[in-house]
Amino acid sequence: MNKLAGHTFLAKLGKKRLRPGGIKATRFLLDQVELTSTTKILEVGCNMGTSAIELLKKYKDIKIIACDIDEDALNIARSNAFKAGVSNRISFIHSDATDLIFEANTFDVIINEAMLTMLNSTKKDLAIKNYFKILKPGGVLLTHDVLLKTDDERIKKEVIADLSREIMVHVSPLTLIGWQALFIEHGFSDVKSKIGHMSLLSPIGLVRDEGFLGAFKIIRNGLSKQHKDRFKRLFNVFRKHKKQIGYIANASFKI
């Protein structure tokens, strides 16, 4: 288990919200849209279905298509949706952001949290190009990623190297200006952003996202003999770079 990608490792420990800004950033994104029974919604990188299921519980008349490249995560998401009683309103598809099967002008809203950070610049461009294509005019792309809070190239390299090593996936976060420019370059006319502290493993973030009992279970599992070394390394790398990294939630509008 200690060789798993960081988000998969944390999921095994019991973490349900695997986003850098947690529920706070997700709620900001969802506040940017009005959802009705006719809203066509796609979530890319749905993981275990946490955000989609909560959305379906809040809005009783919407439907969602959700995709991920991880079949194991999709199977968990299907099970979670069934247990939540919303499986009849969500369709899970195995699909890659860089190779989406949907036609142009299909969706009103695309949700994509904590995934673009994991893509190199070429794949970022391809994914965002796909999102722009399949969004309807007037549609919105809601993204949630890791924010670099420094312009110092030496520090950037150190942060990226440390995160990539401990997460075991090469990460490619951007600055506020970098993220906003990326969406504008691909045709989006406006980008509304919210930034804040990384909360993935902070004590406050754990309690806010998982509740007291959930946070306790994650810490207990993380500090077990089997997982303690890996858990402490992840915790320490976020603490080491807490001044250089945070979260960014972007709502990018297609006119």
Side-chain angles (χ1 to χ4, degrees):
M1 184 182 290
N2 287 336
K3 293 184 179 180
L4 296 173
H7 66 282
T8 305
F9 172 72
L10 292 175
K12 295 290 185 182
L13 298 182
K15 198 160 192 343
K16 297 178 180 178
R17 295 188 182 279
L18 301 167
R19 318 301 192 192
I23 194 170
K24 189 175 183 180
T26 298
R27 285 176 175 168
F28 163 79
L29 291 175
L30 297 179
D31 284 345
Q32 309 311 308
V33 294
E34 294 184 10
L35 305 179
T36 70
S37 60
T38 61
T39 307
K40 301 296 184 182
I41 307 167
L42 172 68
E43 182 176 16
V44 181
C46 65
N47 201 266
M48 297 181 292
T50 300
S51 294
I53 291 168
E54 289 186 353
L55 204 56
L56 290 166
K57 286 182 176 180
K58 182 177 180 180
Y59 297 93
K60 304 299 183 181
D61 56 352
I62 67 168
K63 295 182 179 180
I64 296 176
I65 295 175
C67 65
D68 204 287
I69 61 171
D70 186 337
E71 282 284 11
D72 291 336
L74 284 173
N75 287 332
I76 295 172
R78 292 184 182 102
S79 176
N80 289 341
F82 179 79
K83 291 175 183 176
V86 298
S87 57
N88 62 320
R89 293 192 287 128
I90 186 166
S91 300
F92 292 103
I93 298 173
H94 182 262
S95 187
D96 188 330
T98 62
D99 189 28
L100 295 171
I101 61 175
F102 307 104
E103 295 183 358
N105 304 321
T106 297
F107 295 99
D108 300 291
V109 178
I110 296 176
I111 304 168
N112 184 205
E113 297 187 273
M115 194 207 76
L116 290 174
T117 300
M118 306 298 179
L119 303 182
N120 62 32
S121 59
T122 300
K123 290 187 175 181
K124 273 188 179 68
D125 288 340
L126 186 53
I128 298 171
K129 181 180 179 181
N130 284 339
Y131 299 159
F132 187 84
K133 175 184 175 182
I134 64 177
L135 271 174
K136 297 177 183 177
V140 59
L141 170 64
L142 306 176
T143 58
H144 176 175
D145 284 285
V146 177
L147 173 73
L148 274 175
K149 298 192 288 186
T150 177
D151 291 313
D152 186 304
E153 291 300 325
R154 182 189 62 80
I155 296 176
K156 282 183 183 180
K157 289 180 181 179
E158 179 184 352
V159 170
I160 290 171
D162 286 352
L163 288 177
S164 298
R165 182 184 64 252
E166 299 304 339
I167 294 173
M168 296 188 179
V169 176
H170 180 72
V171 298
S172 184
L174 302 173
T175 62
L176 170 62
I177 293 174
W179 280 116
Q180 291 181 336
L182 184 65
F183 298 116
I184 296 296
E185 288 168 5
H186 284 84
F188 290 94
S189 60
D190 184 35
V191 182
K192 184 176 180 180
S193 302
K194 179 178 178 62
I195 64 174
H197 299 296
M198 171 74 72
S199 65
L200 191 64
L201 284 181
S202 72
I204 292 175
L206 280 172
V207 172
R208 182 173 59 224
D209 289 347
E210 312 291 343
F212 283 103
L213 182 59
F216 173 78
K217 288 180 178 179
I218 292 164
I219 294 171
R220 181 192 63 191
N221 292 337
L223 294 178
S224 66
K225 183 177 179 180
Q226 181 182 2
H227 307 307
K228 181 168 65 175
D229 288 346
R230 176 83 190 277
F231 184 73
K232 290 177 71 173
R233 290 200 309 270
L234 279 171
F235 179 84
N236 287 336
V237 78
F238 288 130
R239 183 174 63 177
K240 175 184 177 182
H241 294 299
K242 65 180 181 180
K243 292 184 179 180
Q244 290 88 40
I245 58 173
Y247 77 81
I248 181 166
N250 292 304
S252 303
F253 299 87
K254 175 179 177 180
I255 302 301

